[in-house]
Amino acid sequence: MAIMKKMYFFLVLLLGSISVCAQSPNLSKNDYKEILQLCINIPQLEEYIPKDNEGNIKQLYVYYYAPQFIPEDINLTKGGKILPFREIIVNESEINDCYFLFEKWEIEAGKGTISFSFTKNSAEVRKHVKITTSLEKVKNNWIININTINVQ
């Protein structure tokens, strides 16, 4: 099982390095923040977001591939907590328990697609939710539509 996890992370790393080439340099920092926050706040993810005994959201992370395509100095939040950015690594023992991973990011002329995943690892359950979205900028606001959600 440990070998399969390592192979999975290596595959994700490889695919991510390919998809980073499709980044969108014409986006402003505010565009990145708005788009990422919309993705993180998709209502269909709420049931997988880990909470403590008092119902507060536990710490989550946003992983990215190097070379980085997401500006690190934007503050994304979930449940009032800032989500730290981390470079994706192959060593699974250093991967945090619950994280978002943005894998495909193609945006041009106010339209595009984003594929990302949310992974929840805990002693009780492991869930991997893969989401593909389409988005469009309408009157200075990004509108996100969910194309597919796959839970593994």
Side-chain angles (χ1 to χ4, degrees), residues 64-79:
Y64 63 88
Y65 296 103
Q68 168 185 328
F69 73 98
I70 300 172
E72 274 191 64
D73 58 345
I74 60 175
N75 289 324
L76 300 177
T77 61
K78 185 72 175 169

Side-chain angles (χ1 to χ4, degrees), residues 85-143:
F85 286 83
R86 301 274 163 83
E87 182 178 345
I88 191 70
I89 49 178
V90 178
N91 184 352
E92 70 179 85
S93 66
E94 296 180 30
I95 298 286
N96 294 94
D97 291 335
C98 300
Y99 59 91
F100 294 90
L101 176 61
F102 289 86
E103 299 159 358
K104 180 182 174 190
W105 185 280
E106 295 176 347
I107 301 172
E108 283 188 40
K111 292 184 178 184
T113 59
I114 296 177
S115 296
F116 70 101
S117 59
F118 176 75
T119 300
K120 176 182 180 180
N121 287 318
S122 69
E124 303 85 35
V125 67
R126 181 184 192 285
K127 290 287 184 188
H128 182 76
V129 183
K130 183 127 173 95
I131 299 170
T132 303
T133 66
S134 58
L135 58 149
E136 181 176 8
K137 193 166 189 176
V138 178
K139 296 182 182 180
N140 295 324
N141 293 309
W142 288 96
I143 308 297

Side-chain angles (χ1 to χ4, degrees), residues 35-49 77-78 100 102 114-118 129-134 144-149:
I35 292 167
L36 290 167
Q37 197 68 61
L38 285 168
C39 291
I40 289 167
N41 290 333
I42 288 175
Q44 291 87 336
L45 284 175
E46 288 304 313
E47 69 181 281
Y48 304 107
I49 303 296
T77 61
K78 185 72 175 169
F100 294 90
F102 289 86
I114 296 177
S115 296
F116 70 101
S117 59
F118 176 75
V129 183
K130 183 127 173 95
I131 299 170
T132 303
T133 66
S134 58
I144 191 168
N145 295 302
I146 299 168
N147 296 341
T148 61
I149 295 180

